[in-house]
Amino acid sequence: MTVSKETIDSILESILHAPVKLYALMVSQRPNHTLIEVELDHLEHPYGSVSLLECEQVSRKLNEELERISPDLNYTLKVSSAGAERKLELPGDLDRFRGIPVRLVYRVEGERGEKEGIFKILDRQGDRLVLEPFSKRKKGSGKKREAFLELKDILKGNLYVSI
């Protein structure tokens, strides 16, 4: 017996309540087994991290619903946080994670190839980002350096956690 991704998505919709939301859902069907991977996002946490307790609650409720609608289903369920270095959903996450270091892959007009950098997002002015190149070194009393990047030039990004 199998269960569709749409069915699981519908169950999750009824289980999840703000500020926790679905970040990603992957369902891998094999002939005798289904792997269900759920990644959660916390809209009020600075990095979007979901607690272990929240993961456990979603896992328990989803298990209960799957057992109810499909008792013969052979499956493995993994529920986790989207992760501290999650992929950014562009352009929306650029506003959400303002002030937090992000790794951006971008192109520079007139140059070949891609560039990569770590920045703090200072502001968004329409289709233009105001960035500060990120450094792990202690800040001096010097003036902040600013960089500008057009949204259309950003290819991908993810949160960056410095250690």
Side-chain angles (χ1 to χ4, degrees), residues 67-134:
E67 291 292 326
R68 188 182 63 74
I69 65 169
S70 192
D72 295 333
L73 181 66
N74 181 13
Y75 66 94
T76 301
L77 175 61
K78 295 180 180 180
V79 178
S80 64
S81 178
E85 292 198 347
R86 72 180 54 217
K87 178 181 172 190
L88 296 175
E89 294 177 10
L90 300 172
D93 279 350
L94 297 173
D95 292 322
R96 178 178 172 196
F97 294 112
R98 187 174 293 180
I100 293 176
V102 296
R103 181 186 314 270
L104 298 175
V105 176
Y106 58 96
R107 61 178 160 251
V108 177
E109 204 161 314
E111 293 185 27
R112 284 194 163 164
E114 302 173 348
K115 293 201 177 272
E116 184 177 314
I118 299 169
F119 305 94
K120 280 189 181 177
I121 301 168
L122 300 178
D123 195 14
R124 179 172 161 190
Q125 301 164 344
D127 289 341
R128 186 179 204 204
L129 285 179
V130 181
L131 306 166
E132 176 186 351
F134 178 73

Side-chain angles (χ1 to χ4, degrees), residues 13-161:
E13 219 173 273
S14 69
I15 291 173
L16 297 174
H17 303 288
V20 176
K21 76 170 198 139
L22 181 64
Y23 177 81
L25 171 62
M26 288 81 55
V27 179
S28 303
Q29 303 275 2
R30 301 244 162 48
N32 296 322
H33 191 264
T34 302
L35 174 61
I36 304 166
E37 296 177 273
V38 177
E39 290 183 359
L40 302 173
D41 187 12
H42 195 294
L43 298 174
E44 294 176 356
H45 187 277
Y47 282 87
S49 296
V50 178
S51 72
L52 184 57
L53 179 61
E54 289 162 323
C55 289
E56 287 174 2
Q57 290 171 340
V58 170
S59 180
R60 185 177 33 79
K61 289 177 183 175
L62 183 53
N63 266 320
E64 287 170 4
E65 279 301 301
L66 289 171
E67 291 292 326
R68 188 182 63 74
I69 65 169
S70 192
D72 295 333
L73 181 66
N74 181 13
Y75 66 94
T76 301
L77 175 61
K78 295 180 180 180
V79 178
S80 64
S81 178
E85 292 198 347
R86 72 180 54 217
K87 178 181 172 190
L88 296 175
E89 294 177 10
L90 300 172
D93 279 350
L94 297 173
D95 292 322
R96 178 178 172 196
F97 294 112
R98 187 174 293 180
I100 293 176
V102 296
R103 181 186 314 270
L104 298 175
V105 176
Y106 58 96
R107 61 178 160 251
V108 177
E109 204 161 314
E111 293 185 27
R112 284 194 163 164
E114 302 173 348
K115 293 201 177 272
E116 184 177 314
I118 299 169
F119 305 94
K120 280 189 181 177
I121 301 168
L122 300 178
D123 195 14
R124 179 172 161 190
Q125 301 164 344
D127 289 341
R128 186 179 204 204
L129 285 179
V130 181
L131 306 166
E132 176 186 351
F134 178 73
S135 173
K136 290 185 196 178
R137 285 183 257 143
K138 296 273 186 215
K139 292 186 180 328
S141 59
K143 187 179 182 306
K144 284 185 184 176
R145 295 180 300 144
E146 289 185 353
F148 301 92
L149 196 54
E150 299 294 322
L151 289 180
K152 67 177 177 51
D153 294 327
I154 300 173
L155 304 173
K156 61 184 174 182
N158 61 283
L159 291 182
Y160 176 79
V161 179

